[in-house]
Amino acid sequence: VPTTVNLRIPGPTPLPDRVREAGAQQMVNHRGPEFRELINRVTARLQTAFVTRNDILILTASGTGGLEAAVVNFLSPGDPILAVSIGSFGDRFAKIATAYGADVTKVDVEWGQAASADLVARELRALAGNGKPAKAILLTHNETSTGVENPLREIVAAVHAESPDTLLLIDGISGLGAVPFETDGWGLDVVATGSQKSWMSPPGLAMISVSERAWKATEAAQMPRFYFDLVKARKSMATGETPWTPAVGVLFAMDVALEMLEAEGYEHIFARHAACAAAAQSGLTALGFKLFAQPAHASKTVTAAWLPEGVDWSALNKLMRSRGLVVAGGQDRLAGQILRVGHLGDVTPDDVIAAIEVIGESLTELGREVDVAAAVSAARGAGAMPAATEERSPAVVSGA
Ligand SMILES: Cc1ncc(COP(=O)(O)O)c(C=O)c1O
């Protein structure tokens, strides 16, 4: 196993040294003043990143816990809801609602495509026409399994116009923090994300914003809940605490990560992720891969591509790993058919270019005729960034 690894999966992501060091700090009392200051500071910084004045609660859970909280606090068994799925994670969101007894109408968009405002408006109209106006809609912002970003702004505008009382519950797990996103400007009721994605932090925390309208909905919501009770979480947060013992070390890390993100500036972060995505798309295409996502809606945080005809995933993966590159394979029905290059968090175009080079060398070793130098140069051309970002050190994990 190489001593340095270019970890290019869509979360967990490589951490900046400062973030890793922060996570190694000695524990504090989670019912004491140090923790109170910490969680209040992190929450305020998250409000900046979410572009919201809504409450943000920090849960000790992976992103899926955030999705579960987004369902069980606002709905009752039997509530009609519309779940719009464009991949595995959209399916998961719908499954959570089904598990808790919601009356779920699921719309499946062909994998690789984004949902559209028209489709969503039509489905909401159909539900209302059947006497089941949607209490809530479940939407994925960035579908990590297919590398597709939904045009969320347009879709939610259509929801507000077509069905103004429908609550908007958003899986923002793998896009928020990396691309422009406006919780309040777009009128989003509940938005969940996870610390291991664009936040340059270890896994362990789900962060969730809740609108006033959504808080009202909690009063009538009958779905069972205990650990993920957001009303309890809100009460605790009033005194700078969490109801249960939080992942203190992850909060230490995220505090520093958010400080670093703010210092870089979100506009610059968005440009950096766009440059990484462009580098990945161009590099993979030059290596003969067919990109999986509809180009207009390709994700800025993960690029998925069909494996070239005749290329065996496990053989390719083994060769990439032997060269220190770890990328993700396909999930569910895409297992063995696609690869996914994650480019979110503390990532630069150079990290992506390095990945393209290794993918090319590995294909060459498998006997494919590819022009690695041309692919590297295509990635470099597409991923050109403003000078300041070039100075960031490549996000390579030492000793992994
Ligand atoms: C869009 C999306 N939703 C949900 C999840 C699930 O998050 P977790 O694995 O942290 O539970 C992920 C994680 O990859 C994701 O990318």
Side-chain angles (χ1 to χ4, degrees):
V1 180
T3 53
T4 58
V5 170
N6 189 2
L7 181 63
R8 296 269 60 94
I9 62 171
T13 67
L15 307 181
D17 289 345
R18 275 190 63 205
V19 173
R20 290 202 291 158
E21 283 154 16
Q25 282 173 85
Q26 190 51 277
M27 287 296 110
V28 295
N29 177 8
H30 65 298
R31 309 270 177 231
E34 301 87 356
F35 184 80
R36 211 164 288 141
E37 247 179 63
L38 172 68
I39 196 164
N40 284 336
R41 189 169 54 240
V42 168
T43 304
R45 286 192 166 128
L46 287 170
Q47 282 173 317
T48 303
F50 277 57
V51 195
T52 190
R53 301 172 72 155
N54 288 340
D55 291 311
I56 291 188
L57 286 325
I58 298 173
L59 313 173
T60 293
S62 78
T64 304
L67 298 184
E68 186 152 329
V71 168
V72 300
N73 284 277
F74 309 103
L75 299 169
S76 299
D79 276 349
I81 68 159
L82 181 64
V84 182
S85 175
I86 66 167
S88 287
F89 290 109
D91 286 357
R92 184 182 300 181
F93 209 178
K95 278 182 198 156
I96 294 169
T98 303
Y100 281 97
D103 178 2
V104 178
T105 299
K106 182 158 162 271
V107 192
D108 291 298
V109 174
E110 187 188 338
W111 287 19
Q113 308 285 307
S116 72
D118 282 352
L119 169 79
V120 170
R122 206 163 51 235
E123 293 293 335
L124 287 169
R125 212 170 305 140
L127 273 176
N130 290 336
K132 300 199 301 184
K135 182 84 206 292
I137 183 166
L138 310 184
L139 289 166
T140 313
H141 170 223
N142 185 80
E143 178 50 75
T144 322
S145 66
T146 58
V148 172
E149 183 184 337
N150 264 326
L152 193 61
R153 180 196 195 118
E154 285 116 73
I155 292 173
V156 300
V159 177
H160 286 303
E162 183 65 42
S163 186
D165 293 333
T166 298
L167 285 173
L168 291 127
L169 311 181
I170 312 295
D171 173 346
I173 291 174
S174 66
L176 184 48
V179 298
F181 189 102
E182 290 184 38
T183 302
D184 291 356
W186 299 349
L188 308 178
D189 291 295
V190 178
V191 178
T193 183
S195 53
Q196 81 277 23
K197 299 295 184 178
S198 64
W199 309 105
M200 310 198 303
S201 300
L205 297 175
M207 302 88 87
I208 184 165
S209 72
V210 181
S211 71
E212 271 313 311
R213 184 166 84 143
W215 282 126
K216 282 216 177 63
T218 60
E219 292 163 17
Q222 296 297 319
M223 281 185 181
R225 52 190 173 272
F226 188 86
Y227 184 77
F228 290 126
D229 187 332
L230 293 177
V231 173
K232 271 199 198 96
R234 184 195 210 184
K235 270 197 197 117
S236 293
M237 256 313 280
T239 57
E241 293 184 14
T242 55
W244 332 116
T245 309
V248 176
V250 184
L251 265 156
F252 281 147
M254 199 161 65
D255 184 28
V256 169
L258 287 167
E259 185 193 315
M260 290 176 70
L261 292 171
E262 279 185 12
E264 179 179 354
Y266 282 97
E267 288 305 318
H268 197 267
I269 292 167
F270 302 157
R272 181 163 54 78
H273 282 86
C276 288
Q281 292 157 13
S282 293
L284 286 169
T285 303
L287 286 174
F289 287 85
K290 192 167 166 296
L291 300 180
F292 189 78
Q294 171 188 10
H297 298 293
S299 167
K300 301 287 190 287
T301 59
V302 54
T303 297
W306 291 105
L307 292 175
E309 189 86 26
V311 169
D312 175 64
W313 164 245
S314 51
L316 176 64
N317 195 26
K318 203 167 157 205
L319 291 173
M320 291 187 296
R321 292 185 68 98
S322 73
R323 291 171 164 80
L325 173 67
V326 177
V327 303
Q331 287 167 279
D332 298 335
R333 69 176 101 133
L334 293 174
Q337 298 196 58
I338 63 167
L339 60 68
R340 292 175 302 143
V341 178
H343 35 79
L344 72 173
D346 185 29
V347 58
T348 67
D350 281 348
D351 299 317
V352 176
I353 294 161
I356 293 297
E357 184 167 22
V358 170
I359 296 169
E361 287 168 351
S362 305
L363 284 173
T364 306
E365 194 173 333
L366 281 178
R368 315 290 297 198
E369 292 231 342
V370 291
D371 188 341
V372 182
V376 163
S377 133
R380 183 161 287 128
M385 261 305 285
T389 296
E390 299 289 354
E391 287 162 19
R392 287 173 66 92
S393 60
V396 164
V397 188
S398 298

